[in-house]
Amino acid sequence: MKKKLSNLMIILIFIAGLSLLVYPLVANKWNNYRQEKLIQNYQQALLKKEETIDYENEIQKAKVYNQALAPHVLPDSFANTKNSKIKDQTYLSALNLTGDGMMGIIEIPKINVKLPIYHTTSKEVLEKATGHLEGSSLPIGGKGNHAVISAHRGLPSASLFTDLDQLKKGNHFLIHVLNKTLCYQVDRIEVVKPEETSSLKIKQGKDYVSLLTCTPYGINDKRLIVRGHRVAYSEKKIQNEEKNNSSSMHTRYGLWVFVGLSVTSVFIFGLYRKDKRMKAKVL
């Protein structure tokens, strides 16, 4: 009876451990699929409305919003998730062509990331995609603009910006907004305290987009800011960069499952050998 209970305990521990190992892999596969569907649905919705969308008018509305932004210190994106719901309808309606809050798509070929960009950095947004930090410029490009796009890293259910620290100066990222693709080249990478947001300010004559996430991995008491300046979009150059895409050990979920199963198998084999030796001694 004791032996049966012992074997049952080993099986339960194995199943529990396997579930913990497999969960990030399965959850990320599901979230990647969901994000791809969100992007596909967004693009299909734009195609259906293409004849009725006045892109010039939408751009003009976004420009007016950006020009009206008063110079101020931006809040920390992740502290901002606790704030009450934003009620600025001018902001919420800008670039909101499909009515679901998605304003565009961010693509980072180097780390194989393509994610929706939603209005605000609310908790609901940051759990599934990237969020635009209200108070920063809308990401439409143009001198005198500085948009801030935020996302989590290290979530067990979604990789999001987990590999953002793999970017180097000279790498590129793309913003797909309205009917345009804007290209930005990384020119500054810094780690700051959450309240240190001065580098996110608008600078006259500059066209910037900053990507912001938490760091170090698993601790998250600081912020990683990757800034890019606008450059001409070259599809060939981006394709070449995409061929060299990389990922950190943090997002190699399949590898961790393999390692975990290998360690578990060795442990079980060791228990089996030990049990066999004990039986041999009894005999």
Side-chain angles (χ1 to χ4, degrees):
M1 186 68 179
K2 286 184 179 179
K3 185 179 177 181
K4 286 184 179 180
L5 287 172
S6 178
N7 290 338
L8 180 61
M9 187 63 69
I10 289 172
I11 292 170
L12 290 174
I13 291 171
F14 175 76
I15 292 172
L18 181 62
S19 301
L20 288 173
L21 284 169
V22 172
Y23 172 73
L25 176 65
V26 174
N28 272 275
K29 288 288 184 184
W30 166 249
N31 273 286
N32 289 341
Y33 169 77
R34 186 177 65 172
Q35 287 154 3
E36 285 174 9
K37 289 299 291 181
L38 286 170
I39 290 170
Q40 286 175 11
N41 292 341
Y42 174 75
Q43 292 172 330
Q44 288 170 4
L46 290 187
L47 281 174
K48 288 180 181 178
K49 293 183 173 184
E50 193 166 19
E51 292 183 2
T52 60
I53 296 173
D54 186 344
Y55 284 110
E56 287 302 318
N57 182 53
E58 293 296 334
I59 281 285
Q60 190 56 39
K61 281 164 56 179
K63 283 181 178 178
V64 169
Y65 175 85
N66 285 349
Q67 289 167 0
L69 288 173
H72 67 287
V73 177
L74 290 170
D76 171 41
S77 294
F78 301 100
N80 206 35
T81 61
K82 300 176 183 178
N83 290 351
S84 59
K85 289 186 178 180
I86 291 169
K87 299 176 181 178
D88 184 350
Q89 292 304 315
T90 302
Y91 166 68
L92 294 174
S93 64
L95 306 180
N96 191 9
L97 301 182
T98 55
D100 60 358
M102 191 187 301
M103 65 169 63
I105 301 161
I106 180 164
E107 185 175 1
I108 314 174
K110 180 69 176 177
I111 56 175
N112 197 28
V113 161
K114 192 172 185 180
L115 295 166
I117 305 170
Y118 284 91
H119 291 73
T120 83
T121 55
S122 68
K123 182 180 179 181
E124 293 75 18
V125 166
L126 295 184
E127 283 179 348
K128 64 180 179 179
T130 68
H132 169 262
L133 180 60
E134 192 203 12
S136 71
S137 307
L138 292 167
I140 57 169
K143 293 181 179 180
N145 287 325
H146 192 167
V148 181
I149 311 299
S150 301
H152 282 304
R153 68 190 300 243
L155 290 183
S157 58
S159 53
L160 301 176
F161 274 3
T162 295
D163 284 342
L164 193 65
D165 62 339
Q166 300 297 300
L167 290 185
K168 308 293 182 186
K169 288 183 180 179
N171 290 154
H172 299 82
F173 58 88
L174 308 174
I175 303 289
H176 303 284
V177 60
L178 299 178
N179 57 347
K180 296 183 177 182
T181 295
L182 312 177
C183 183
Y184 290 83
Q185 185 177 47
V186 176
D187 59 15
R188 182 172 180 172
I189 300 171
E190 61 178 339
V191 174
V192 300
K193 294 178 181 178
E195 64 274 14
E196 295 175 344
T197 60
S198 59
S199 60
L200 303 178
K201 288 180 179 178
I202 293 169
K203 291 191 177 180
Q204 285 299 114
K206 300 295 183 181
D207 183 348
Y208 289 143
V209 170
S210 285
L211 311 180
L212 189 150
T213 191
C214 298
T215 198
Y217 183 87
I219 299 174
N220 302 332
D221 63 341
K222 291 186 172 58
R223 303 291 179 256
L224 171 64
I225 300 174
V226 176
R227 190 187 73 185
H229 66 276
R230 179 89 173 274
V231 295
Y233 173 48
S234 169
E235 189 174 354
K236 186 176 180 181
K237 185 185 291 185
I238 298 300
Q239 285 175 344
N240 289 335
E241 191 166 298
E242 189 173 5
K243 291 177 183 177
N244 297 318
N245 62 59
S246 60
S247 62
S248 69
M249 293 296 289
H250 303 307
T251 51
R252 294 182 184 177
Y253 303 108
L255 174 62
W256 286 115
V257 171
F258 174 76
V259 170
L261 288 176
S262 299
V263 171
T264 304
S265 299
V266 170
F267 177 70
I268 291 173
F269 181 70
L271 289 176
Y272 168 76
R273 291 293 300 272
K274 183 180 179 182
D275 185 58
K276 205 170 183 181
R277 284 197 300 269
M278 289 179 69
K279 283 181 180 179
K281 285 180 180 180
V282 171
L283 294 173

